[in-house]
PDB file of all heavy atoms in Angstrom:
ATOM      1  N   ALA A  29      20.137 -35.457 -56.855  1.00 96.00           N
ATOM      2  CA  ALA A  29      20.957 -34.800 -57.886  1.00 96.00           C
ATOM      3  C   ALA A  29      21.467 -35.827 -58.890  1.00 96.00           C
ATOM      4  O   ALA A  29      21.772 -35.491 -60.032  1.00 96.00           O
ATOM      5  CB  ALA A  29      22.120 -34.059 -57.224  1.00 96.00           C
ATOM      6  N   ALA A  30      21.545 -37.096 -58.460  1.00 97.00           N
ATOM      7  CA  ALA A  30      22.059 -38.152 -59.341  1.00 97.00           C
ATOM      8  C   ALA A  30      20.950 -38.846 -60.148  1.00 97.00           C
ATOM      9  O   ALA A  30      21.239 -39.692 -60.990  1.00 97.00           O
ATOM     10  CB  ALA A  30      22.807 -39.191 -58.497  1.00 97.00           C
ATOM     11  N   LEU A  31      19.682 -38.492 -59.895  1.00 97.00           N
ATOM     12  CA  LEU A  31      18.582 -39.127 -60.632  1.00 97.00           C
ATOM     13  C   LEU A  31      18.636 -38.760 -62.114  1.00 97.00           C
ATOM     14  O   LEU A  31      19.108 -37.684 -62.480  1.00 97.00           O
ATOM     15  CB  LEU A  31      17.227 -38.680 -60.078  1.00 97.00           C
ATOM     16  CG  LEU A  31      16.779 -39.265 -58.737  1.00 97.00           C
ATOM     17  CD1 LEU A  31      15.485 -38.588 -58.289  1.00 97.00           C
ATOM     18  CD2 LEU A  31      16.578 -40.763 -58.831  1.00 97.00           C
ATOM     19  N   ARG A  32      18.121 -39.656 -62.947  1.00 96.00           N
ATOM     20  CA  ARG A  32      18.002 -39.367 -64.381  1.00 96.00           C
ATOM     21  C   ARG A  32      16.529 -39.148 -64.719  1.00 96.00           C
ATOM     22  O   ARG A  32      15.653 -39.523 -63.947  1.00 96.00           O
ATOM     23  CB  ARG A  32      18.519 -40.559 -65.195  1.00 96.00           C
ATOM     24  CG  ARG A  32      19.976 -40.885 -64.907  1.00 96.00           C
ATOM     25  CD  ARG A  32      20.528 -41.864 -65.957  1.00 96.00           C
ATOM     26  NE  ARG A  32      21.882 -42.305 -65.651  1.00 96.00           N
ATOM     27  CZ  ARG A  32      22.962 -41.531 -65.700  1.00 96.00           C
ATOM     28  NH1 ARG A  32      22.845 -40.264 -66.018  1.00 96.00           N
ATOM     29  NH2 ARG A  32      24.148 -42.011 -65.417  1.00 96.00           N
ATOM     30  N   SER A  33      16.293 -38.572 -65.896  1.00 95.00           N
ATOM     31  CA  SER A  33      14.904 -38.404 -66.338  1.00 95.00           C
ATOM     32  C   SER A  33      14.220 -39.770 -66.356  1.00 95.00           C
ATOM     33  O   SER A  33      14.881 -40.792 -66.524  1.00 95.00           O
ATOM     34  CB  SER A  33      14.854 -37.783 -67.738  1.00 95.00           C
ATOM     35  OG  SER A  33      15.082 -36.405 -67.607  1.00 95.00           O
ATOM     36  N   ASN A  34      12.903 -39.750 -66.181  1.00 96.00           N
ATOM     37  CA  ASN A  34      12.104 -40.974 -66.130  1.00 96.00           C
ATOM     38  C   ASN A  34      12.430 -41.815 -64.890  1.00 96.00           C
ATOM     39  O   ASN A  34      12.213 -43.023 -64.866  1.00 96.00           O
ATOM     40  CB  ASN A  34      12.285 -41.807 -67.413  1.00 96.00           C
ATOM     41  CG  ASN A  34      11.184 -42.844 -67.571  1.00 96.00           C
ATOM     42  OD1 ASN A  34      10.039 -42.634 -67.146  1.00 96.00           O
ATOM     43  ND2 ASN A  34      11.522 -43.981 -68.153  1.00 96.00           N
ATOM     44  N   TRP A  35      12.906 -41.176 -63.830  1.00 95.00           N
ATOM     45  CA  TRP A  35      13.249 -41.866 -62.576  1.00 95.00           C
ATOM     46  C   TRP A  35      12.068 -42.615 -61.987  1.00 95.00           C
ATOM     47  O   TRP A  35      12.239 -43.594 -61.276  1.00 95.00           O
ATOM     48  CB  TRP A  35      13.816 -40.869 -61.550  1.00 95.00           C
ATOM     49  CG  TRP A  35      12.878 -39.725 -61.269  1.00 95.00           C
ATOM     50  CD1 TRP A  35      12.856 -38.523 -61.908  1.00 95.00           C
ATOM     51  CD2 TRP A  35      11.821 -39.687 -60.304  1.00 95.00           C
ATOM     52  NE1 TRP A  35      11.859 -37.722 -61.418  1.00 95.00           N
ATOM     53  CE2 TRP A  35      11.201 -38.416 -60.429  1.00 95.00           C
ATOM     54  CE3 TRP A  35      11.323 -40.582 -59.361  1.00 95.00           C
ATOM     55  CZ2 TRP A  35      10.113 -38.024 -59.643  1.00 95.00           C
ATOM     56  CZ3 TRP A  35      10.242 -40.185 -58.580  1.00 95.00           C
ATOM     57  CH2 TRP A  35       9.652 -38.931 -58.715  1.00 95.00           C
ATOM     58  N   ASP A  36      10.834 -42.154 -62.291  1.00 94.00           N
ATOM     59  CA  ASP A  36       9.642 -42.799 -61.723  1.00 94.00           C
ATOM     60  C   ASP A  36       8.932 -43.700 -62.732  1.00 94.00           C
ATOM     61  O   ASP A  36       7.848 -44.198 -62.442  1.00 94.00           O
ATOM     62  CB  ASP A  36       8.675 -41.732 -61.212  1.00 94.00           C
ATOM     63  CG  ASP A  36       8.235 -40.769 -62.316  1.00 94.00           C
ATOM     64  OD1 ASP A  36       8.739 -40.875 -63.463  1.00 94.00           O
ATOM     65  OD2 ASP A  36       7.391 -39.913 -62.032  1.00 94.00           O
ATOM     66  N   THR A  37       9.544 -43.919 -63.892  1.00 95.00           N
ATOM     67  CA  THR A  37       8.976 -44.686 -65.022  1.00 95.00           C
ATOM     68  C   THR A  37       7.719 -44.035 -65.619  1.00 95.00           C
ATOM     69  O   THR A  37       7.055 -44.634 -66.451  1.00 95.00           O
ATOM     70  CB  THR A  37       8.664 -46.176 -64.669  1.00 95.00           C
ATOM     71  OG1 THR A  37       7.537 -46.225 -63.786  1.00 95.00           O
ATOM     72  CG2 THR A  37       9.874 -46.872 -64.050  1.00 95.00           C
ATOM     73  N   TYR A  38       7.396 -42.801 -65.202  1.00 95.00           N
ATOM     74  CA  TYR A  38       6.254 -42.084 -65.788  1.00 95.00           C
ATOM     75  C   TYR A  38       6.730 -40.895 -66.613  1.00 95.00           C
ATOM     76  O   TYR A  38       5.969 -39.977 -66.891  1.00 95.00           O
ATOM     77  CB  TYR A  38       5.289 -41.594 -64.707  1.00 95.00           C
ATOM     78  CG  TYR A  38       4.582 -42.727 -64.004  1.00 95.00           C
ATOM     79  CD1 TYR A  38       4.917 -43.080 -62.697  1.00 95.00           C
ATOM     80  CD2 TYR A  38       3.574 -43.453 -64.642  1.00 95.00           C
ATOM     81  CE1 TYR A  38       4.276 -44.133 -62.046  1.00 95.00           C
ATOM     82  CE2 TYR A  38       2.932 -44.507 -64.005  1.00 95.00           C
ATOM     83  CZ  TYR A  38       3.277 -44.840 -62.706  1.00 95.00           C
ATOM     84  OH  TYR A  38       2.638 -45.870 -62.081  1.00 95.00           O
ATOM     85  N   GLY A  39       8.022 -40.886 -66.942  1.00 95.00           N
ATOM     86  CA  GLY A  39       8.539 -39.824 -67.802  1.00 95.00           C
ATOM     87  C   GLY A  39       8.849 -38.516 -67.085  1.00 95.00           C
ATOM     88  O   GLY A  39       9.034 -37.491 -67.737  1.00 95.00           O
ATOM     89  N   SER A  40       8.883 -38.523 -65.753  1.00 95.00           N
ATOM     90  CA  SER A  40       9.157 -37.277 -65.022  1.00 95.00           C
ATOM     91  C   SER A  40      10.597 -36.829 -65.220  1.00 95.00           C
ATOM     92  O   SER A  40      11.503 -37.653 -65.336  1.00 95.00           O
ATOM     93  CB  SER A  40       8.897 -37.467 -63.526  1.00 95.00           C
ATOM     94  OG  SER A  40       7.530 -37.685 -63.301  1.00 95.00           O
ATOM     95  N   GLU A  41      10.771 -35.498 -65.247  1.00 95.00           N
ATOM     96  CA  GLU A  41      12.117 -34.922 -65.336  1.00 95.00           C
ATOM     97  C   GLU A  41      12.857 -35.176 -64.026  1.00 95.00           C
ATOM     98  O   GLU A  41      12.249 -35.154 -62.957  1.00 95.00           O
ATOM     99  CB  GLU A  41      12.020 -33.401 -65.459  1.00 95.00           C
ATOM    100  CG  GLU A  41      11.703 -32.838 -66.798  1.00 95.00           C
ATOM    101  CD  GLU A  41      11.578 -31.306 -66.698  1.00 95.00           C
ATOM    102  OE1 GLU A  41      12.482 -30.661 -66.121  1.00 95.00           O
ATOM    103  OE2 GLU A  41      10.555 -30.796 -67.173  1.00 95.00           O
ATOM    104  N   ALA A  42      14.162 -35.356 -64.128  1.00 97.00           N
ATOM    105  CA  ALA A  42      14.980 -35.428 -62.909  1.00 97.00           C
ATOM    106  C   ALA A  42      15.068 -34.024 -62.310  1.00 97.00           C
ATOM    107  O   ALA A  42      14.976 -33.043 -63.042  1.00 97.00           O
ATOM    108  CB  ALA A  42      16.374 -35.932 -63.265  1.00 97.00           C
ATOM    109  N   PRO A  43      15.232 -33.910 -60.971  1.00 98.00           N
ATOM    110  CA  PRO A  43      15.397 -32.579 -60.381  1.00 98.00           C
ATOM    111  C   PRO A  43      16.640 -31.892 -60.952  1.00 98.00           C
ATOM    112  O   PRO A  43      17.685 -32.532 -61.097  1.00 98.00           O
ATOM    113  CB  PRO A  43      15.588 -32.869 -58.888  1.00 98.00           C
ATOM    114  CG  PRO A  43      15.009 -34.231 -58.674  1.00 98.00           C
ATOM    115  CD  PRO A  43      15.230 -34.975 -59.959  1.00 98.00           C
TER     116      PRO A  43
END
Side-chain angles (χ1 to χ4, degrees):
L31 285 174
R32 300 193 185 291
S33 281
N34 197 32
W35 56 268
D36 59 356
T37 71
Y38 292 107
S40 294
E41 280 177 49

